Amino acid sequence: MKIYEIGTGYTPIPAQVAAATESVVEELTKAYLNMGIPVEIIDISADKRADNELPITQVNVPSFFTKSDVSLGLVHKLKRVVYSVFLAFKLKKILKESKEKSVLHFHNQYNLFFFNKLVSEKLRSKAIIAYTNHNGLWSLQWNKVKDTLHKRYFQEISAMKSADLVFVLNKNTKENVVNHLGLEQGRVVEIRNGVNTDIYRPLPESEIEDVKSQHNLTGKKVILQVGSVYENKGQARCVEMLAPLLKKHDNLVYAFAGGIVSQEYFDKVNASAKDCGAADKVIYLGSFAPGEEMNGIYNLADITVFASEYEGFPLVCAESLSAGVPVVICSDLSINLGEGSVVTKTGDIEKDIESAIISNTENYKKICLEARENAKKNYLWQTIAQEYLTAFNNVKGEN
């Protein structure tokens, strides 16, 4: 049984921007290769793909649509449609030539929706069709999001209903798709995202100081937030929550890193910092490539904060833990990160951060070690890949 991991077309794999789903596809593929499992990535064509040894089959699309982008506007959506159509014909050819049952593992609603429309049921039956739902909206209370999901994510609803297996990243999403879409419990599998603990790792103190120096943070204690800059991620909310703490401690700063999806929201973050009297304590670091570069950014932090309104499974949290940097959760998150995270309520954030990184040095060292061990114990991609593989084999056995 061969597994085809299907890139979304957002940015070429290996991801050159912090595209979480592309990182998932890349790391799952590496894990399968290490396990001796036949696997291939199907991905958008790219002239400047990063050097890699991954088995990648390219889907050729007009050159205008091969550029990576971080916006979520009309061109982005058109790119998804164009890629999905060309992808469907590539997969159609693969299925026609296939001699055995294979797995087509989709990670994007457009991709699976157009595949279903453009490939016959007879050909589709030659493969196990799997879909991983990375959409955090599904983790919210159904009554709050049902109208949005039906209007804006009807393709995803159709994709999940058609799939042989649906993987979800938290229990709330599973409850919503089972209870409100009518998917059978047996074909909805809750799974985690993982982290590459060889790449995301604690750095020696000398290297940390070098990274801090590059960003003019020498001598500072750093509260870090990683994620695209737009409303859902909550950078402005973090500034407002942290302002009293930032003003209380001279050597404490809040730094945020990630692609600017909304310039308007980026301006709002800076305006909030100014209004709170903490403009000199709020620093935008920029956008960084996944991997070694991003690991350096995690390592310059004393603690990271997670404040998204919704998320499927926050890859940034697993990466931070793996780098030995504790995470403060200051929003409702429907997963349990385990040891090494400091789960809190918004009203307690000052107390928890002070306790973690300012007041008690020995305890801080302890939770840093716990964070790293937590990542190695619970979030290895090899473990996650095995869970996917078990689910694929169960469906194959039923067939």
Side-chain angles (χ1 to χ4, degrees), residues 222-255:
V222 181
I223 303 169
L224 174 71
Q225 184 173 3
V226 175
S228 299
V229 183
Y230 71 107
E231 186 72 41
N232 172 52
K233 299 299 184 181
Q235 287 89 353
R237 294 193 300 277
C238 270
V239 167
E240 292 169 5
M241 287 188 291
L242 293 171
L245 190 60
L246 296 174
K247 291 187 287 186
K248 182 178 177 181
H249 299 279
D250 290 339
N251 67 335
L252 187 64
V253 298
Y254 164 77

Side-chain angles (χ1 to χ4, degrees), residues 172-192:
N172 288 5
T173 300
K174 181 169 184 176
E175 289 172 1
N176 279 335
V177 299
V178 169
N179 296 336
H180 301 291
L181 293 189
L183 273 67
E184 299 92 335
Q185 284 266 8
R187 66 186 181 100
V188 181
V189 179
E190 186 178 345
I191 204 158
R192 296 158 290 167

